[in-house]
Amino acid sequence: MTLKSLAVALFSAEDAQRLMPFAADMASRSGAHLTGVMPVEAQVPFAGTEGGLVSYGAAYVPEWQQEEAEAAAKTFEAAAAGRDFPYDLRQQPLGSQSAEDFLLDNVAAADLVIAAQCPPEGARYSQRQLQEQLIRRSGRPVLIVPEGWDPAPVGAHILIGWSNTREAVRAAHDARALAQPGATLSILHIGDGSDGLACREDMAAAFDRHGHPVTLINRERTAQDTGTMLLKVAVECGADMLAAGAFGHSWAYDFVIGAATRELLAHAKLPVLFSR
């Protein structure tokens, strides 16, 4: 896949400051159209009655939220203006569909969506929900850029987390689309069994046909969870990006037990590509 349509999800002014240098450089290198998507969740006052809650007024956007949106828009325009790629900015109008629907509708055509890791402190609940639904429901590969990461090209050495699942297969193919010419791809299998290893061999051979040398890595399952192991091996092998299938279990399982996806979202120190 050639990257010709990029979307960057901007949930806050801080997101715009962190993401735009990276997103603009990627758009410039690939000659892609860059779309900034700014969902803004309107507030609706409610009043209680004996029968429950009823709307107490028209939807509105608080002043602080308007200021955040204006600051994010200025950062986007400043980073994109005068560059050698086309771009547009889509900000959710007041009183339109939900923020989640607006986000999903406006990233549907993107080859890749870029979004920021939610900060461990201070992130609004709505930001975390939008990030998770972007990964779960958009049908697009989502590259999460971590806090404190210095913007730099990715794709020279990619670590792919492997399991015998649809999500892992999609992640492997999506990762190859971001690989630089001649990039090294490492495919990590965690576990004691052989389930999916024959398919992994086929994947490695397919990558080799595209000119990418592949290293196969095996790790036994330990007390560490899968997400922690993926991050550890990424550091050990010098990867500049990690690719993994996202939310491979049911919503109920993920909510009760937790998931490797949430571990990666919370603690990754390098960009992570999520596919579902």
Side-chain angles (χ1 to χ4, degrees):
M1 178 178 66
T2 302
L3 298 177
K4 289 302 178 184
S5 298
L6 298 176
V8 57
L10 305 174
F11 301 154
S12 69
E14 183 182 358
D15 282 0
Q17 292 173 353
R18 192 191 321 168
L19 293 176
M20 283 311 301
F22 175 72
D25 285 347
M26 179 175 282
S28 182
R29 288 194 309 273
S30 59
H33 184 284
L34 179 64
T35 297
V37 182
M38 294 176 52
V40 180
E41 190 74 78
Q43 309 297 313
V44 181
F46 283 88
T49 68
E50 291 184 2
L53 293 176
V54 296
S55 177
Y56 192 64
Y60 74 102
V61 175
E63 184 176 347
W64 67 266
Q65 205 166 351
Q66 294 178 13
E67 293 172 352
E68 275 270 306
E70 290 171 3
K74 287 180 180 178
T75 299
F76 178 90
E77 291 287 351
R83 298 292 292 267
D84 55 347
F85 57 85
Y87 65 91
D88 69 300
L89 177 62
R90 302 179 184 182
Q91 182 174 341
Q92 182 174 2
L94 178 64
S96 65
Q97 67 214 98
S98 71
E100 181 180 313
D101 288 342
F102 177 84
L103 173 65
L104 297 180
D105 285 353
N106 284 281
V107 302
D111 297 321
L112 175 72
V113 184
I114 303 168
Q117 182 184 51
C118 289
E121 303 291 337
R124 300 190 299 275
Y125 176 76
S126 60
Q127 286 178 274
R128 298 187 187 280
Q129 286 296 104
L130 283 173
Q131 182 191 70
E132 181 167 321
Q133 293 308 310
L134 177 63
I135 295 170
R136 280 188 182 275
R137 296 184 54 212
S138 69
R140 310 310 308 134
V142 179
L143 184 66
I144 298 293
V145 176
E147 274 202 310
W149 179 74
D150 292 329
V154 297
H157 186 172
I158 303 174
L159 176 67
I160 301 167
W162 182 259
S163 60
N164 193 27
T165 63
R166 174 181 64 86
E167 292 80 9
V169 171
R170 289 198 62 176
H173 285 285
D174 290 338
R176 188 184 63 76
L178 294 181
Q180 297 178 20
T184 296
L185 304 180
S186 298
I187 308 179
L188 169 65
H189 176 265
I190 300 172
D192 303 325
S194 59
D195 189 30
L197 294 187
C199 184
R200 183 179 67 159
E201 296 279 352
D202 289 341
M203 192 68 69
F207 289 155
D208 185 68
R209 296 183 195 111
H210 283 278
H212 299 298
V214 176
T215 300
L216 301 180
I217 303 174
N218 297 306
R219 290 288 188 273
E220 293 184 1
R221 194 172 299 279
T222 67
Q224 290 183 322
D225 62 42
T226 300
T228 300
M229 180 69 76
L230 283 166
L231 294 174
K232 179 180 178 181
V233 175
V235 172
E236 290 174 355
C237 70
D240 59 28
M241 191 185 90
L242 173 63
F247 295 116
H249 297 290
S250 68
W251 182 89
Y253 181 97
D254 289 340
F255 182 79
V256 176
I257 306 298
T261 306
R262 291 201 175 91
E263 176 70 16
L264 295 175
L265 284 171
H267 298 114
K269 303 299 182 184
L270 77 168
V272 181
L273 180 71
F274 290 103
S275 300
R276 188 170 193 275

